[in-house]
C-alpha cells in the first residue's frame, strides 16, 4: 500500500506506490471518461477538482485540461468554418462540402456536413452572419463569440466531443 515518513518535527507524510494508486483509482472510478462526462455536464473545473481525492488531482487536472483544450479546438475549427462559409446559402454549402462545385474555401475540418450544418442552426445567426469586408480584429471577436456560445450549450459540447478525430488541429 505504501509507507509513512515521520519527520523530527512530528510531521508525517504518507507515500503511496503506483500499484496502490492504480487500484484506488479503479475503486474510486476516476478515469478520463469521468472527466469527459463532467465537462459535458458543464461542471466547472475547480468544482470538479474539489470532489477528487488529493492523490489524483494532478492526473485529473491533466485529463481535464487535455479534454477541455480538445473541445475548445474543435469548437474553434467549426467557428472558423462558419465564418469562412457565412456568405453561402445552405444549398451552396452542401454543394461545396459534397465537392459538387469549384470553390476556394479552405476548411479547418474534415468536411463534416453534420457539424457545420448543425452549427449554423444552433449558433445565433447574428453572431456568425456578417459582411465579408470585416477586419481581422472583428473576425477574431466573432470567433470568440461563436466558441463561447458553443461551449455554453451542453448539446453542442456533446456533439463536438463525440466527433472523434474529426477536426485537424
Amino acid at each position: 500500500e505504501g509507507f509513512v515518513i515521520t519527520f523530527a518535527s512530528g510531521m508525517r507524510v504518507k507515500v503511496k506506490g503506483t500499484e496502490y494508486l492504480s487500484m484506488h483509482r479503479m475503486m474510486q472510478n476516476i478515469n478520463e471518461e469521468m472527466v469527459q462526462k463532467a465537462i459535458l455536464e458543464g461542471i466547472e473545473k475547480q468544482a470538479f477538482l474539489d470532489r477528487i481525492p488529493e492523490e489524483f488531482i494532478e492526473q485529473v487536472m491533466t485529463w481535464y485540461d487535455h479534454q477541455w483544450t480538445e473541445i475548445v479546438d474543435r469548437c474553434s475549427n467549426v467557428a472558423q468554418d462558419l465564418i469562412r462559409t457565412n456568405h453561402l446559402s445552405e444549398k451552396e454549402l452542401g454543394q461545396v462540402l459534397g465537392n459538387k462545385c469549384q470553390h476556394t474555401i479552405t476548411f479547418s475540418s474534415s468536411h463534416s456536413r453534420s457539424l457545420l450544418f448543425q452549427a449554423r442552426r444552433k449558433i445565433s445567426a447574428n453572431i456568425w452572419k456578417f459582411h465579408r469586408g470585416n477586419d481581422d480584429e472583428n473576425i477574431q471577436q466573432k470567433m470568440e463569440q461563436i466558441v463561447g456560445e458553443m461551449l455554453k450549450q451542453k448539446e453542442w459540447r456533446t456533439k463536438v466531443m463525440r466527433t472523434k478525430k474529426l477536426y485537424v488541429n
Side-chain angles (χ1 to χ4, degrees), residues 36-43 68 71 74-75 147-163:
Q36 184 179 48
K37 286 179 184 176
I39 290 171
L40 295 178
E41 289 298 320
I43 299 172
W68 185 254
I71 193 171
R74 290 175 182 194
C75 287
V147 171
E149 193 169 324
M150 287 178 181
L151 293 174
K152 286 181 199 173
Q153 298 177 24
K154 177 183 176 182
E155 178 186 355
W156 188 254
R157 287 190 307 271
T158 302
K159 285 178 186 186
V160 172
M161 283 305 293
R162 299 258 159 84
T163 310

Side-chain angles (χ1 to χ4, degrees), residues 10-135:
M11 184 175 108
R12 296 190 299 175
V13 176
K14 188 171 186 178
V15 179
K16 300 175 182 177
T18 55
E19 288 180 18
Y20 171 80
L21 290 174
S22 293
M23 181 65 92
H24 187 56
R25 190 169 35 243
M26 276 184 1
M27 299 299 285
Q28 294 284 332
N29 197 26
I30 297 172
N31 56 40
E32 282 185 271
E33 186 176 333
M34 181 185 100
V35 173
Q36 184 179 48
K37 286 179 184 176
I39 290 171
L40 295 178
E41 289 298 320
I43 299 172
E44 293 292 326
K45 181 179 179 179
Q46 193 54 54
F48 180 66
L49 292 175
D50 288 346
R51 301 178 195 167
I52 303 297
E54 73 178 67
E55 59 265 29
F56 303 123
I57 293 288
E58 189 175 327
Q59 178 63 58
V60 171
M61 278 178 44
T62 300
W63 288 337
Y64 194 102
D65 291 343
H66 172 77
Q67 296 224 8
W68 185 254
T69 299
E70 188 173 340
I71 193 171
V72 170
D73 287 347
R74 290 175 182 194
C75 287
S76 295
N77 286 332
V78 173
Q80 287 174 358
D81 289 347
L82 275 173
I83 290 170
R84 286 182 182 126
T85 61
N86 76 30
H87 63 286
L88 299 175
S89 69
E90 296 238 342
K91 180 180 178 181
E92 291 168 329
L93 178 60
Q95 290 172 336
V96 167
L97 290 174
N99 291 319
K100 294 178 180 166
C101 67
Q102 292 288 336
H103 64 86
T104 59
I105 299 169
T106 303
F107 287 93
S108 302
S109 71
S110 300
H111 297 268
S112 169
R113 277 190 133 121
S114 61
L115 280 181
L116 195 49
F117 279 109
Q118 288 175 38
R120 280 180 161 222
R121 292 180 188 114
K122 291 286 180 189
I123 305 302
S124 176
N126 65 348
I127 292 178
W128 64 269
K129 278 271 193 200
F130 60 96
H131 300 293
R132 298 281 296 158
N134 288 346
D135 58 25

